[in-house]
């Protein structure tokens, strides 16, 4: 069941409320998230941006159930998952969430097709024919039909990440989470992965939360941008509005630095 905000009639897939998380370093707790609120509606693409260490990845990891929060709640498809134990979070992750993170994490001994079809069989219980049919369909969507039988070591980094995206999409998740999906790629391979994500977002209407430093990409793909700093969301709103006319000075400073680095890379 997808929940609905009674005041706005917006169909919410995900609702994060007052989420907190701290880690210990040298015996002292370090607060990484400090009361984050975030709503994501069906079909919406939300880009999380901000400096490294601002809490973007931690927020995605908590939503994905890879770690437990210290406080607050996460509601997915109308059900509270914030207080679930490890097994409960893992079950939600398998059934409702697609994960694409910085490292591709493909099975090195399996082909591209097997990396997608295998989890559908072992985890989701699909038969071999149906799993392979789904894998072939997704490889076509990410432009890799011709590499279906290739092992990961014979694929470029960009191709491996595209297989990882196809694998994440295979069980038809409610929300696709992407954590800096191009950060492990050589610069010349970044665009091929961003183009696949862009096409999936626009053509398929997938619900996505994307952590990214790629400001231009966020402007083109995201409906909304949330800027994190120091473990809180300082500013959020329509993507183009936030990225072109930020209201918070720290958002403006971050975007200015990103523009300067992009200009420097273009000259280089």
């Amino acid at each position: 069941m997808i929940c609905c905000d009674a005041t706005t009639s917006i169909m919410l897939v995900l609702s994060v409320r007052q989420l907190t998380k701290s880690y210990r370093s040298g015996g002292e707790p370090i607060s990484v998230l400090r009361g984050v609120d975030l709503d994501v509606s069906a079909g919406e693409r939300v880009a999380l941006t901000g400096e490294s260490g601002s809490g973007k990845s931690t927020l995605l990891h908590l939503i994905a159930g890879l770690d437990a929060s210290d406080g607050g709640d996460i509601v997915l498809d109308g059900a509270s998952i914030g207080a679930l134990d490890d097994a409960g979070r893992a079950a939600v992750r398998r059934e409702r969430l697609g994960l694409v993170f910085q490292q591709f994490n493909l099975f090195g001994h399996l082909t591209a097709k097997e990396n997608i079809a295998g989890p559908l069989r072992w985890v989701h219980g699909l038969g071999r024919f149906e799993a392979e049919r789904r894998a072939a369909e997704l490889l076509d969507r990410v432009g890799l039909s011709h590499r279906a039988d290739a092992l990961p070591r014979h694929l470029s980094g960009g191709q491996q990440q595209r297989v990882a995206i196809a694998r994440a999409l295979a069980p038809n998740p409610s929300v696709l989470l992407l954590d800096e999906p191009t950060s492990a790629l050589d610069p010349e391979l970044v665009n091929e992965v961003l183009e696949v994500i862009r096409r999936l977002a626009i053509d398929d209407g997938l619900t996505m939360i994307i952590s990214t430093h790629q400001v231009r990409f966020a402007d083109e793909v995201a409906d909304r941008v949330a800027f994190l700093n120091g473990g809180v969301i300082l500013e959020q709103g329509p993507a183009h509005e936030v990225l072109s006319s930020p209201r918070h000075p720290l958002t403006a400073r971050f975007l200015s630095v990103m523009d300067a680095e992009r200009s420097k890379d273009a000259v280089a």
Side-chain angles (χ1 to χ4, degrees), residues 76-95:
L76 178 66
D77 288 339
S80 174
I81 63 173
L84 293 176
D85 60 13
D86 290 349
R89 293 197 306 272
V92 170
R93 185 165 61 248
R94 288 193 303 269
E95 296 167 8

Side-chain angles (χ1 to χ4, degrees), residues 104-112 114-115 122 149-155 160 163 167:
F104 323 127
N105 297 325
L106 299 180
F107 295 105
H109 64 292
L110 299 180
T111 66
E114 290 166 343
N115 263 282
W122 312 322
D149 296 323
L151 294 171
R153 66 175 177 270
H154 298 141
L155 299 172
Q160 290 185 60
V163 174
R167 180 177 61 187

Side-chain angles (χ1 to χ4, degrees), residues 139-162:
L139 284 172
D140 181 61
R141 286 171 64 189
V142 299
L144 286 175
S145 292
H146 63 298
R147 304 294 281 154
D149 296 323
L151 294 171
R153 66 175 177 270
H154 298 141
L155 299 172
S156 71
Q159 290 173 330
Q160 290 185 60
Q161 189 64 301
R162 283 191 275 162

Side-chain angles (χ1 to χ4, degrees), residues 60 98-103 161 164-166 168-169 176-181 197:
L60 286 184
L99 314 179
V100 180
F101 291 127
Q102 298 173 17
Q103 301 300 323
Q161 189 64 301
I165 291 170
L169 290 173
L176 182 64
L177 306 173
L178 302 104
D179 186 12
E180 296 285 358
I197 298 171

Side-chain angles (χ1 to χ4, degrees), residues 7 30 59 72 78 86 99 110 117 130 137 143 145 149 157 163 170 178 191 204 214 238 250 257:
T7 61
I30 298 176
L59 176 56
D86 290 349
L99 314 179
L110 299 180
E130 181 62 20
E137 170 194 321
S145 292
D149 296 323
V163 174
L178 302 104
N191 283 338
D204 293 24
Q214 300 282 342
L250 290 179
V257 170

Side-chain angles (χ1 to χ4, degrees), residues 6-85:
T7 61
T8 62
S9 297
I10 295 174
M11 302 302 291
L12 296 179
V13 175
L14 178 74
S15 184
V16 173
R17 285 291 174 269
Q18 289 298 297
L19 205 62
T20 60
K21 182 66 181 178
S22 296
Y23 295 102
R24 288 195 171 272
S25 177
E28 293 295 324
I30 298 176
S31 182
V32 181
L33 293 181
R34 300 187 290 119
V36 170
D37 291 330
L38 182 69
D39 288 332
V40 181
S41 58
E44 187 178 23
R45 284 93 62 181
V46 177
L48 307 177
T49 192
E51 297 178 354
S52 297
S54 61
K56 304 185 304 296
S57 292
T58 299
L59 176 56
L60 286 184
H61 286 193
L62 294 181
I63 293 171
L66 297 172
D67 200 355
S69 67
D70 296 333
D73 197 13
I74 302 168
V75 177
L76 178 66
D77 288 339
S80 174
I81 63 173
L84 293 176
D85 60 13

